[in-house]
Amino acid sequence: MAYMIIILFLIGIILFMGYRLHIKDIHYKYKADKMTHLEHSYENRIHDLEDTVNSLNQTAFTHTVTKIGNIDYFINQCTSLFGRYPNSVFIMIGFSISSLGKINQFFGPSEGDKVMVYTADILKNCVKGNAVYAHVNSNLFGILLRDSSEEEMLGMIDSINAKLKDYSSAFAVSAIFGIHYIDLSHTGDSLMDIMNYTLLAQKAVTDPKTMNYAYFTEELSRSYNENKKMSIEMEEALNNHNFIVYLQPMIDLHSYQIVSAEALVRWDYPGKGILSPYAFLPLFENTSLIQKLDYYMWEECCKILRRWIDNKMAPIPIAMNISPIHLQGSAFIDKLEQLMHSYLISKDLLILELPERGVANATKEVAEIIMKLKEKNFSLCIDNFGSVHSPLNLLKDYPIGQIKLDRNFLTKNSSSNEGLTILRYLVAMAKELDLTIITEGVESLQQANFLADIGCDIAQGYFFAKPLDVRHFDQLNKSMLRNLYRPSEYYPTFEDFAKDVDILTQMMQRVG
Ligand code: C2E
Ligand code: MG
């Protein structure tokens, strides 16, 4: 009996152990299954991640419109080729579609995009062999050729030209090419410099109908380096306050008092003296430097106004030039408001001069910005009116309170009877539309009197005063002009004002 119990007990233990082993087995199997499952799911996730990274890379290196390589792709590929083939001859070509602006304007931006996609397809077919190509930015394609003969390169340009012509029978599509033979031993050149060389070469194309390509020459290289030096110096000049605000008075033609002043930039350039904006603005306008300079000028104007207010000097409104580049977005409005807030300047003390070239044929975006400025109660003036387009429709379409007639418009029209008639009617029309009309470039008493007679409100020009630094402007404003300008009593000539500083002495003598 005892044996039986022991045997049963042992059987029980064996069965129990078997059961435990079975359970463990199931457990391990379950764990192994789970591991396999997890492994698969990790593998899948890794694949997914790889796909995502690949597609992100693809997106990062692809132009959104044309789906060919973009600027990052181009930089990557070119840098790698330069590294791999240091002894090769490389030619960089940059080209732009010359009529893209007009195509966008007349047929809409989607047609412009189609032209770009078509051009990208041409590149896929025409650029062969040891070459890289990309859609570098909005209207710039880049091609890098390695060890290609000049003949091959010009042949490729010819075939691109021929295919572009086939795009449409309704309008012409053409391109302008800039060519640069890269000197890899010139280690100071970045890829952006090299791209810029092709842009400068494009600008050297004078008659695209006969020859639509140009090479980057020694002469272009010299001027590029000079400009580059100036751009670097500009940052320093901003910090050192080497840019100076000059103010040119605007005179009410009925009361002959200064009613406002235009702020005009000057660069006090070490070793060269005071530079006119024409010496540096065109360079700045091709880069973002113009934004920095304008911001600086606007702040300087706010400081001048604050000083006038603090010194109880009856502030007059200052008109500030707004470079067209600002009108591409609304960031500058925030900047203006921020400045006005910091210096506690009210909006009636600032006039924004929007250049005609920036607002003529205004795109939807520019129109919206003009409306926004008006909603925020800024005083707006169209500057250089009549210089290029005479956009009469602007006057009815946009809430602009003032127009400033371009200096050349006055010069051109004040020498003939027909011209004077045009001026008379333009002023009459502006009056009908309730606009204040300012005429720029008034150089003689005769012009001033004529403008007053036909109802022009305000004049600006050397007849009254050249742009003056703020100290001289303050003296002029405070001590004399308010009482002095009487056309019948005061007859300065243009030559009298040969030197800005002389003006005060001249006038003192007359008053004395
Ligand atoms: P603008 O806005 O049309 O300014 C008027 C220009 O005409 C000024 O040239 C002024 O000195 C000149 N002027 C005025 N009256 C007469 C006159 O009776 N006879 C002659 N011959 N010229 C006269 P300036 O100061 O050389 O400025 C040239 C242009 O540079 C300006 O033309 C404006 O477009 C631009 N500019 C000047 N300062 C700035 C600035 O701070 N920011 C921006 N974005 N542009 C500026
Ligand atoms: Mg102006």
Side-chain angles (χ1 to χ4, degrees):
M1 186 62 189
Y3 281 123
M4 280 294 285
I5 292 170
I6 289 169
I7 286 166
L8 279 173
F9 181 69
L10 284 175
I11 290 171
I13 287 179
I14 289 165
L15 282 175
F16 178 70
M17 294 293 281
Y19 170 74
R20 285 292 304 267
L21 279 175
H22 178 66
I23 293 287
K24 250 192 182 158
D25 201 32
I26 291 175
H27 189 67
Y28 282 137
K29 201 164 170 304
Y30 169 75
K31 274 206 165 161
D33 282 353
K34 200 165 174 188
M35 286 294 284
T36 326
H37 179 73
L38 276 176
E39 264 171 29
H40 279 140
S41 106
Y42 278 130
E43 263 171 32
N44 286 344
R45 284 173 67 181
I46 285 169
H47 278 310
D48 286 352
L49 270 174
E50 275 172 0
D51 285 350
T52 316
V53 170
N54 281 343
S55 85
L56 277 176
N57 271 340
Q58 186 84 5
T59 317
F61 288 108
T62 306
H63 195 280
T64 43
V65 175
T66 50
K67 308 286 183 244
I68 61 170
N70 63 8
I71 183 164
D72 292 325
Y73 165 83
F74 200 52
I75 292 177
N76 233 311
Q77 296 292 309
C78 293
T79 318
S80 131
L81 282 178
F82 295 156
R84 273 192 289 153
Y85 305 101
N87 298 320
S88 284
V89 175
F90 287 101
I91 309 173
M92 176 78 80
I93 301 169
F95 76 95
S96 313
I97 302 297
S98 21
S99 39
L100 189 67
K102 289 222 166 76
I103 296 170
N104 281 333
Q105 191 185 331
F106 293 120
F107 302 98
S110 63
E111 190 61 41
D113 284 355
K114 271 195 209 156
V115 172
M116 299 316 257
V117 172
Y118 180 81
T119 310
D121 286 340
I122 294 178
L123 288 182
K124 286 179 201 158
N125 292 318
C126 291
V127 184
K128 301 258 155 54
N130 298 323
V132 184
Y133 59 85
H135 187 171
V136 176
N137 67 29
S138 54
N139 188 12
L140 179 64
F141 290 92
I143 305 171
L144 181 75
L145 300 178
R146 182 166 75 82
D147 293 329
S148 165
S149 70
E150 187 171 20
E151 203 184 341
E152 283 166 341
M153 179 219 11
L154 293 177
M156 181 196 73
I157 290 183
D158 270 351
S159 57
I160 296 176
N161 277 331
K163 292 202 162 78
L164 282 176
K165 276 200 190 113
D166 289 344
Y167 178 79
S168 162
S169 53
F171 56 88
V173 177
S174 57
I176 290 182
F177 297 78
I179 304 163
H180 171 52
Y181 275 84
I182 299 172
D183 179 1
L184 282 185
S185 66
H186 203 278
T187 46
D189 289 349
S190 71
L191 201 77
M192 282 330 283
D193 284 327
I194 296 172
M195 283 310 300
N196 281 335
Y197 296 160
T198 70
L199 282 175
L200 286 176
Q202 278 185 40
K203 285 193 182 148
V205 172
T206 44
D207 182 7
K209 286 209 173 91
T210 49
M211 197 192 266
N212 67 343
Y213 62 86
Y215 291 87
F216 183 67
T217 56
E218 270 297 309
E219 199 188 328
L220 286 177
S221 164
R222 257 194 311 277
S223 92
Y224 177 77
N225 287 330
E226 229 170 67
N227 287 349
K228 199 173 159 193
K229 184 167 158 260
M230 222 184 210
S231 314
I232 296 168
E233 287 168 349
M234 186 237 175
E235 300 275 347
E236 216 178 288
L238 279 177
N239 294 333
N240 295 341
H241 284 255
N242 287 345
F243 288 102
I244 310 174
V245 178
Y246 270 45
L247 294 174
Q248 187 176 26
M250 291 190 232
I251 314 295
D252 181 319
L253 281 173
H254 309 296
S255 65
Y256 267 70
Q257 291 194 344
I258 299 180
V259 282
S260 50
E262 176 172 10
L264 295 157
V265 65
R266 298 289 182 267
W267 188 346
D268 186 0
Y269 194 99
K272 283 194 187 170
I274 302 289
L275 296 188
S276 131
Y278 293 115
F280 54 89
L281 278 192
L283 162 69
F284 291 2
E285 280 185 343
N286 284 333
T287 66
S288 60
L289 291 177
I290 190 67
Q291 271 155 303
K292 282 196 186 164
L293 180 69
D294 276 357
Y295 287 169
Y296 169 91
M297 285 291 287
W298 302 343
E299 177 153 16
E300 291 300 298
C301 290
C302 288
K303 283 184 194 165
I304 295 170
L305 286 165
R306 175 82 339 245
R307 194 174 49 78
W308 283 343
I309 299 167
D310 289 347
N311 293 344
K312 314 244 172 317
M313 283 171 70
I316 53 163
I318 298 185
M320 308 189 301
N321 287 288
I322 310 288
S323 181
I325 197 162
H326 294 290
L327 301 177
Q328 288 171 9
S330 57
F332 80 99
I333 306 180
D334 299 336
K335 180 73 189 178
L336 278 170
E337 292 202 306
Q338 194 187 318
L339 283 173
M340 296 170 87
H341 183 74
S342 310
Y343 290 92
L344 295 172
I345 303 297
S346 60
K347 289 207 170 109
D348 55 341
L349 286 178
L350 288 179
I351 301 162
L352 309 186
E353 291 198 0
L354 311 175
E356 184 197 271
R357 68 197 156 102
V359 290
N361 303 318
T363 57
K364 197 167 141 265
E365 288 76 23
V366 172
E368 276 167 15
I369 285 167
I370 296 178
M371 291 310 213
K372 193 164 173 191
L373 285 168
K374 199 64 217 172
E375 271 163 29
K376 288 180 176 278
N377 284 327
F378 281 103
S379 304
L380 305 180
C381 172
I382 297 192
D383 198 6
N384 317 112
F385 191 86
S387 58
V388 203
H389 308 276
S390 308
L392 295 172
N393 57 326
L394 272 184
L395 306 181
K396 72 169 175 47
D397 291 344
Y398 299 113
I400 287 164
Q402 308 184 358
I403 57 171
K404 195 187 252 191
L405 289 190
D406 189 57
R407 175 156 53 91
N408 292 325
F409 192 79
L410 175 69
T411 322
K412 230 173 25 200
N413 288 308
S414 56
S415 54
S416 69
N417 282 337
E418 293 82 357
L420 292 176
T421 309
I422 292 178
L423 273 170
R424 185 177 290 115
Y425 278 99
L426 189 62
V427 171
M429 186 190 69
K431 295 267 95 183
E432 284 273 309
L433 292 170
D434 221 10
L435 292 166
T436 302
I437 190 153
I438 305 162
T439 308
E440 190 172 66
V442 178
E443 291 185 353
S444 69
L445 176 69
Q446 201 189 4
Q447 283 175 335
N449 282 342
F450 170 76
L451 290 166
D453 283 350
I454 63 173
C456 173
D457 307 287
I458 296 170
Q460 173 183 349
Y462 291 175
F463 169 67
F464 299 104
K466 273 191 165 182
L468 300 164
D469 64 41
V470 179
R471 193 168 63 87
H472 284 100
F473 181 87
D474 280 350
Q475 289 177 6
L476 192 71
N477 190 21
K478 211 162 50 178
S479 57
M480 290 171 302
L481 267 185
R482 279 165 191 276
N483 307 318
L484 189 78
Y485 280 129
R486 296 267 178 268
S488 53
E489 294 165 13
Y490 180 57
Y491 298 95
T493 61
F494 174 48
E495 285 73 26
D496 287 339
F497 299 122
K499 277 193 170 204
D500 294 346
V501 271
D502 282 348
I503 184 177
L504 283 177
T505 342
Q506 302 259 352
M507 294 166 94
M508 290 285 198
Q509 281 163 2
R510 281 167 195 273
V511 170

